Amino acid sequence: MAPVGSLLPLLPALALALSPAAGQVRRALVLVEAEGLSEELWGAGLPGDLPELEPECRQLLAAFAEGSAALTDCLGRRARPVRLCQACHPHYRRLLAQYGDIARAVGNSSESHNCAKSILTSDRLQIVVTLSAFFNETWEAANCANCLKNSSEGLSNSTVEFLDLFNKSLTCFEQNLQGQAIHLSPNNYTEVCKNCNESYRMLNDLYTSLQRMNMHGGESGHSTHLCIDVEDAMNITRKLWSRTFNCSVPCSDTVPVIAVSSFILFLPIVFYLSSFLHSKQKKRILILPKRIQSNASLVNIQEKYS
Protein backbone atom coordinates (compact mmCIF):
# COMPACT_ATOMS: atom_id res chain seq x y z
CA MET A 1 0.00 0.00 0.00
CA ALA A 2 1.30 3.45 -0.89
CA PRO A 3 2.16 5.71 1.99
CA VAL A 4 -0.40 8.36 2.92
CA GLY A 5 2.08 11.09 2.21
CA SER A 6 2.29 10.07 -1.44
CA LEU A 7 -1.54 10.43 -1.84
CA LEU A 8 -1.71 13.95 -0.49
CA PRO A 9 -0.88 15.66 -3.82
CA LEU A 10 -3.75 13.72 -5.52
CA LEU A 11 -6.47 14.90 -3.13
CA PRO A 12 -7.29 18.19 -4.97
CA ALA A 13 -7.67 16.36 -8.31
CA LEU A 14 -9.88 13.74 -6.65
CA ALA A 15 -12.06 16.40 -5.09
CA LEU A 16 -12.48 18.15 -8.47
CA ALA A 17 -13.49 14.87 -10.14
CA LEU A 18 -16.15 14.25 -7.51
CA SER A 19 -17.54 17.81 -7.50
CA PRO A 20 -20.66 18.94 -9.59
CA ALA A 21 -18.42 21.09 -11.74
CA ALA A 22 -16.71 17.96 -13.01
CA GLY A 23 -19.93 16.82 -14.71
CA GLN A 24 -20.22 20.12 -16.56
CA VAL A 25 -16.65 19.88 -17.72
CA ARG A 26 -17.20 16.36 -19.05
CA ARG A 27 -20.37 17.43 -20.92
CA ALA A 28 -18.50 20.35 -22.50
CA LEU A 29 -15.78 17.99 -23.69
CA VAL A 30 -18.38 15.65 -25.21
CA LEU A 31 -20.05 18.54 -27.08
CA VAL A 32 -16.71 19.69 -28.46
CA GLU A 33 -15.94 16.19 -29.69
CA ALA A 34 -19.43 15.89 -31.26
CA GLU A 35 -19.03 19.20 -33.08
CA GLY A 36 -15.69 18.13 -34.40
CA LEU A 37 -17.12 14.85 -35.63
CA SER A 38 -20.01 16.68 -37.32
CA GLU A 39 -17.64 19.02 -39.14
CA GLU A 40 -15.61 16.05 -40.32
CA LEU A 41 -18.72 14.28 -41.64
CA TRP A 42 -20.11 17.31 -43.50
CA GLY A 43 -16.68 18.29 -44.75
CA ALA A 44 -16.04 14.86 -46.20
CA GLY A 45 -19.58 14.48 -47.58
CA LEU A 46 -22.50 12.55 -46.10
CA PRO A 47 -22.42 8.77 -46.30
CA GLY A 48 -24.63 7.22 -48.98
CA ASP A 49 -27.05 5.63 -46.51
CA LEU A 50 -28.23 8.99 -45.05
CA PRO A 51 -31.58 10.31 -46.50
CA GLU A 52 -30.29 13.27 -48.47
CA LEU A 53 -32.70 14.55 -51.18
CA GLU A 54 -31.81 14.26 -54.81
CA PRO A 55 -31.40 17.58 -56.69
CA GLU A 56 -34.71 17.07 -58.49
CA CYS A 57 -36.50 16.43 -55.19
CA ARG A 58 -34.92 19.52 -53.61
CA GLN A 59 -36.21 21.63 -56.49
CA LEU A 60 -39.73 20.26 -56.05
CA LEU A 61 -39.65 20.93 -52.31
CA ALA A 62 -38.34 24.47 -52.83
CA ALA A 63 -41.10 25.19 -55.38
CA PHE A 64 -43.75 23.95 -52.93
CA ALA A 65 -42.28 26.09 -50.14
CA GLU A 66 -42.39 29.20 -52.35
CA GLY A 67 -45.95 28.42 -53.43
CA SER A 68 -47.06 27.93 -49.81
CA ALA A 69 -45.51 31.27 -48.82
CA ALA A 70 -47.20 33.07 -51.71
CA LEU A 71 -50.62 31.59 -50.93
CA THR A 72 -50.27 32.33 -47.20
CA ASP A 73 -49.35 35.94 -47.97
CA CYS A 74 -52.36 36.29 -50.29
CA LEU A 75 -54.81 34.80 -47.77
CA GLY A 76 -53.54 37.06 -45.01
CA ARG A 77 -53.71 40.23 -47.08
CA ARG A 78 -57.21 39.48 -48.44
CA ALA A 79 -58.74 38.49 -45.09
CA ARG A 80 -60.70 41.77 -44.60
CA PRO A 81 -62.62 42.68 -46.59
CA VAL A 82 -62.78 39.09 -47.81
CA ARG A 83 -61.31 38.76 -51.29
CA LEU A 84 -59.78 35.30 -50.96
CA CYS A 85 -61.37 33.60 -53.94
CA GLN A 86 -60.93 36.55 -56.30
CA ALA A 87 -57.28 37.24 -55.58
CA CYS A 88 -55.81 33.92 -54.42
CA HIS A 89 -57.17 31.34 -56.85
CA PRO A 90 -54.05 31.54 -59.12
CA HIS A 91 -51.80 30.83 -56.12
CA TYR A 92 -54.00 27.93 -55.02
CA ARG A 93 -54.03 26.35 -58.48
CA ARG A 94 -50.25 26.68 -58.68
CA LEU A 95 -49.80 25.06 -55.27
CA LEU A 96 -52.03 22.14 -56.26
CA ALA A 97 -49.88 21.60 -59.33
CA GLN A 98 -46.69 21.74 -57.27
CA TYR A 99 -48.02 19.20 -54.77
CA GLY A 100 -49.08 16.98 -57.66
CA ASP A 101 -45.57 17.16 -59.08
CA ILE A 102 -44.18 15.92 -55.77
CA ALA A 103 -46.72 13.12 -55.48
CA ARG A 104 -46.04 11.92 -59.04
CA ALA A 105 -42.28 12.43 -59.04
CA VAL A 106 -40.14 9.29 -59.12
CA GLY A 107 -36.74 11.00 -58.96
CA ASN A 108 -33.91 8.50 -58.92
CA SER A 109 -34.65 4.97 -60.01
CA SER A 110 -33.54 3.72 -56.61
CA GLU A 111 -36.44 3.24 -54.21
CA SER A 112 -34.57 5.00 -51.40
CA HIS A 113 -34.53 8.24 -53.40
CA ASN A 114 -38.17 8.35 -54.47
CA CYS A 115 -39.24 12.02 -54.17
CA ALA A 116 -42.79 11.34 -53.04
CA LYS A 117 -41.61 8.97 -50.34
CA SER A 118 -38.75 11.19 -49.16
CA ILE A 119 -40.77 14.43 -49.02
CA LEU A 120 -44.26 13.28 -48.05
CA THR A 121 -43.97 10.22 -45.81
CA SER A 122 -40.40 9.98 -44.53
CA ASP A 123 -41.15 11.37 -41.05
CA ARG A 124 -43.95 11.46 -38.50
CA LEU A 125 -44.76 15.17 -38.90
CA GLN A 126 -45.20 15.07 -42.70
CA ILE A 127 -45.13 18.86 -42.93
CA VAL A 128 -45.77 19.03 -46.68
CA VAL A 129 -48.90 16.86 -46.36
CA THR A 130 -50.06 18.91 -43.37
CA LEU A 131 -49.64 22.21 -45.23
CA SER A 132 -51.45 20.90 -48.28
CA ALA A 133 -54.35 19.65 -46.15
CA PHE A 134 -54.61 23.03 -44.40
CA PHE A 135 -54.84 24.96 -47.68
CA ASN A 136 -57.41 22.52 -49.09
CA GLU A 137 -59.60 22.75 -45.99
CA THR A 138 -59.41 26.56 -46.00
CA TRP A 139 -60.32 26.70 -49.68
CA GLU A 140 -63.27 24.34 -49.22
CA ALA A 141 -64.51 26.19 -46.12
CA ALA A 142 -64.53 29.42 -48.15
CA ASN A 143 -66.54 27.65 -50.91
CA CYS A 144 -64.36 29.36 -53.49
CA ALA A 145 -65.35 26.77 -56.09
CA ASN A 146 -68.79 28.43 -56.21
CA CYS A 147 -67.19 31.68 -57.40
CA LEU A 148 -65.12 30.08 -60.12
CA LYS A 149 -65.71 28.29 -63.38
CA ASN A 150 -65.64 24.51 -63.51
CA SER A 151 -61.99 24.55 -64.54
CA SER A 152 -61.18 27.11 -61.79
CA GLU A 153 -59.40 29.25 -64.36
CA GLY A 154 -61.28 32.41 -63.40
CA LEU A 155 -64.40 33.92 -61.87
CA SER A 156 -67.75 32.71 -63.16
CA ASN A 157 -69.98 35.06 -65.18
CA SER A 158 -72.53 35.37 -62.38
CA THR A 159 -69.80 36.28 -59.88
CA VAL A 160 -68.40 38.94 -62.20
CA GLU A 161 -71.92 40.39 -62.63
CA PHE A 162 -72.51 40.43 -58.88
CA LEU A 163 -69.19 42.13 -58.11
CA ASP A 164 -69.91 44.74 -60.77
CA LEU A 165 -73.27 45.58 -59.16
CA PHE A 166 -71.63 45.57 -55.74
CA ASN A 167 -69.04 48.13 -56.82
CA LYS A 168 -71.77 50.28 -58.42
CA SER A 169 -73.77 50.24 -55.17
CA LEU A 170 -70.76 51.29 -53.10
CA THR A 171 -69.95 54.03 -55.59
CA CYS A 172 -73.54 55.28 -55.36
CA PHE A 173 -73.36 55.33 -51.57
CA GLU A 174 -70.11 57.27 -51.62
CA GLN A 175 -71.24 59.85 -54.18
CA ASN A 176 -74.51 60.60 -52.40
CA LEU A 177 -72.83 60.82 -49.02
CA GLN A 178 -70.40 63.41 -50.38
CA GLY A 179 -73.22 65.48 -51.84
CA GLN A 180 -75.40 65.11 -48.77
CA ALA A 181 -72.79 66.11 -46.21
CA ILE A 182 -73.07 69.76 -47.26
CA HIS A 183 -76.84 70.18 -47.05
CA LEU A 184 -78.17 67.60 -44.56
CA SER A 185 -77.41 66.41 -41.07
CA PRO A 186 -75.11 63.40 -40.66
CA ASN A 187 -77.98 61.14 -39.49
CA ASN A 188 -80.26 61.90 -42.43
CA TYR A 189 -79.58 59.62 -45.38
CA THR A 190 -82.73 60.25 -47.38
CA GLU A 191 -80.84 61.02 -50.56
CA VAL A 192 -78.82 57.82 -50.29
CA CYS A 193 -81.97 55.73 -49.86
CA LYS A 194 -83.69 57.49 -52.73
CA ASN A 195 -80.91 57.61 -55.31
CA CYS A 196 -79.33 54.22 -54.58
CA ASN A 197 -82.54 52.24 -54.19
CA GLU A 198 -82.42 50.90 -57.75
CA SER A 199 -78.81 49.70 -57.62
CA TYR A 200 -79.31 48.10 -54.22
CA ARG A 201 -82.51 46.37 -55.33
CA MET A 202 -80.76 44.92 -58.38
CA LEU A 203 -77.87 43.68 -56.22
CA ASN A 204 -80.22 42.13 -53.68
CA ASP A 205 -82.32 40.42 -56.38
CA LEU A 206 -79.21 39.00 -58.05
CA TYR A 207 -77.94 37.65 -54.74
CA THR A 208 -81.28 35.96 -54.09
CA SER A 209 -81.27 34.41 -57.56
CA LEU A 210 -77.69 33.18 -57.05
CA GLN A 211 -78.76 31.51 -53.82
CA ARG A 212 -81.63 29.75 -55.57
CA MET A 213 -79.47 28.73 -58.50
CA ASN A 214 -76.77 27.47 -56.16
CA MET A 215 -79.23 25.15 -54.41
CA HIS A 216 -79.50 23.22 -57.68
CA GLY A 217 -75.79 23.48 -58.49
CA GLY A 218 -74.68 26.60 -60.29
CA GLU A 219 -72.02 27.23 -62.88
CA SER A 220 -69.42 25.58 -60.66
CA GLY A 221 -71.48 22.42 -60.15
CA HIS A 222 -71.40 22.73 -56.33
CA SER A 223 -74.60 22.91 -54.29
CA THR A 224 -73.44 24.43 -51.00
CA HIS A 225 -73.21 28.01 -49.75
CA LEU A 226 -72.11 30.83 -52.00
CA CYS A 227 -68.42 31.64 -51.86
CA ILE A 228 -67.20 33.76 -48.97
CA ASP A 229 -66.38 36.74 -51.20
CA VAL A 230 -69.98 37.09 -52.40
CA GLU A 231 -71.49 36.46 -48.96
CA ASP A 232 -69.23 38.99 -47.28
CA ALA A 233 -69.89 41.62 -49.95
CA MET A 234 -73.67 41.21 -49.55
CA ASN A 235 -73.44 41.33 -45.76
CA ILE A 236 -71.46 44.57 -45.92
CA THR A 237 -73.99 46.14 -48.29
CA ARG A 238 -77.01 45.09 -46.24
CA LYS A 239 -75.49 46.43 -43.02
CA LEU A 240 -74.80 49.77 -44.67
CA TRP A 241 -78.28 49.92 -46.19
CA SER A 242 -80.34 48.91 -43.16
CA ARG A 243 -78.24 49.86 -40.12
CA THR A 244 -76.08 52.77 -41.19
CA PHE A 245 -78.43 54.47 -43.65
CA ASN A 246 -81.64 53.12 -42.08
CA CYS A 247 -83.18 52.54 -45.50
CA SER A 248 -86.08 50.19 -46.10
CA VAL A 249 -85.22 46.88 -47.70
CA PRO A 250 -87.10 46.31 -50.97
CA CYS A 251 -89.07 43.09 -50.87
CA SER A 252 -89.92 41.27 -54.09
CA ASP A 253 -92.63 39.19 -52.36
CA THR A 254 -94.83 42.10 -51.33
CA VAL A 255 -97.96 40.98 -53.22
CA PRO A 256 -98.09 37.46 -51.72
CA VAL A 257 -97.48 38.86 -48.25
CA ILE A 258 -100.31 41.39 -48.60
CA ALA A 259 -102.66 38.72 -49.96
CA VAL A 260 -101.97 36.33 -47.10
CA SER A 261 -102.23 39.10 -44.51
CA SER A 262 -105.57 40.26 -45.91
CA PHE A 263 -106.90 36.72 -45.90
CA ILE A 264 -105.91 36.24 -42.26
CA LEU A 265 -107.39 39.65 -41.35
CA PHE A 266 -110.80 38.81 -42.86
CA LEU A 267 -110.98 35.32 -41.35
CA PRO A 268 -112.62 36.49 -38.07
CA ILE A 269 -115.19 38.54 -40.00
CA VAL A 270 -116.11 35.57 -42.16
CA PHE A 271 -116.31 33.33 -39.11
CA TYR A 272 -118.65 35.62 -37.15
CA LEU A 273 -120.81 36.32 -40.20
CA SER A 274 -121.23 32.63 -40.94
CA SER A 275 -122.00 31.93 -37.27
CA PHE A 276 -124.65 34.67 -37.25
CA LEU A 277 -126.37 33.40 -40.39
CA HIS A 278 -126.30 29.84 -39.12
CA SER A 279 -127.91 30.82 -35.80
CA LYS A 280 -130.66 32.80 -37.58
CA GLN A 281 -131.52 29.81 -39.72
CA LYS A 282 -131.78 27.57 -36.64
CA LYS A 283 -134.05 30.07 -34.97
CA ARG A 284 -136.44 30.03 -37.92
CA ILE A 285 -136.55 26.24 -37.86
CA LEU A 286 -137.45 26.24 -34.15
CA ILE A 287 -140.19 28.85 -34.52
CA LEU A 288 -141.88 27.13 -37.43
CA PRO A 289 -143.52 24.29 -35.40
CA LYS A 290 -145.08 26.84 -33.01
CA ARG A 291 -146.79 28.56 -35.91
CA ILE A 292 -148.14 25.24 -37.18
CA GLN A 293 -149.46 24.34 -33.71
CA SER A 294 -151.24 27.68 -33.29
CA ASN A 295 -152.96 27.34 -36.63
CA ALA A 296 -154.15 23.83 -35.76
CA SER A 297 -155.60 25.05 -32.44
CA LEU A 298 -157.47 27.80 -34.24
CA VAL A 299 -159.05 25.26 -36.60
CA ASN A 300 -160.18 23.07 -33.68
CA ILE A 301 -161.82 26.04 -31.94
CA GLN A 302 -163.71 27.00 -35.08
CA GLU A 303 -164.96 23.43 -35.57
CA LYS A 304 -166.10 23.28 -31.92
CA TYR A 305 -168.27 26.41 -32.12
CA SER A 306 -169.60 25.59 -35.53
Side-chain angles (χ1 to χ4, degrees), residues 79-270:
R80 292 302 308 165
V82 182
R83 298 294 184 270
L84 306 182
C85 306
Q86 303 172 54
C88 302
H89 70 89
H91 299 290
Y92 180 70
R93 287 181 58 216
R94 190 176 303 114
L95 189 69
L96 287 180
Q98 291 165 346
Y99 184 84
D101 292 339
I102 294 175
R104 291 189 300 268
V106 177
N108 194 289
S109 59
S110 175
E111 183 180 355
S112 62
H113 295 289
N114 182 286
C115 290
K117 180 179 179 181
S118 300
I119 297 176
L120 302 181
T121 60
S122 61
D123 58 82
R124 178 178 60 84
L125 188 58
Q126 299 181 5
I127 188 64
V128 173
V129 177
T130 303
L131 285 174
S132 178
F134 166 75
F135 289 125
N136 289 333
E137 291 172 2
T138 303
W139 199 255
E140 291 175 3
N143 293 303
C144 288
N146 289 317
C147 279
L148 307 174
K149 298 177 181 178
N150 287 332
S151 57
S152 299
E153 294 179 354
L155 297 176
S156 62
N157 296 332
S158 57
T159 304
V160 172
E161 181 182 1
F162 175 86
L163 294 176
D164 182 60
L165 286 175
F166 170 70
N167 292 329
K168 288 181 179 179
S169 298
L170 293 185
T171 301
C172 183
F173 295 163
E174 184 179 1
Q175 290 177 350
N176 284 273
L177 285 174
Q178 291 176 352
Q180 178 174 293
I182 302 175
H183 305 287
L184 300 177
S185 62
N187 295 326
N188 190 344
Y189 300 105
T190 307
E191 292 298 320
V192 178
C193 301
K194 177 182 177 182
N195 297 333
C196 302
N197 180 72
E198 182 66 18
S199 61
Y200 177 79
R201 184 187 60 80
M202 293 175 61
L203 180 68
N204 192 67
D205 290 345
L206 178 58
Y207 182 80
T208 303
S209 65
L210 288 177
Q211 283 183 316
R212 293 172 180 172
M213 181 178 64
N214 197 61
M215 292 176 62
H216 304 90
E219 299 176 39
S220 62
H222 294 75
S223 57
T224 54
H225 295 285
L226 295 174
C227 74
I228 189 63
D229 292 27
V230 173
E231 288 182 346
D232 185 71
M234 194 67 229
N235 288 337
I236 291 174
T237 311
R238 284 176 173 174
K239 287 179 181 178
L240 288 173
W241 184 259
S242 59
R243 297 182 184 179
T244 304
F245 304 143
N246 198 24
C247 301
S248 60
V249 180
C251 183
S252 58
D253 298 330
T254 304
V255 175
V257 171
I258 293 177
V260 172
S261 302
S262 302
F263 176 75
I264 295 175
L265 180 64
F266 281 101
L267 272 179
I269 300 175
V270 174

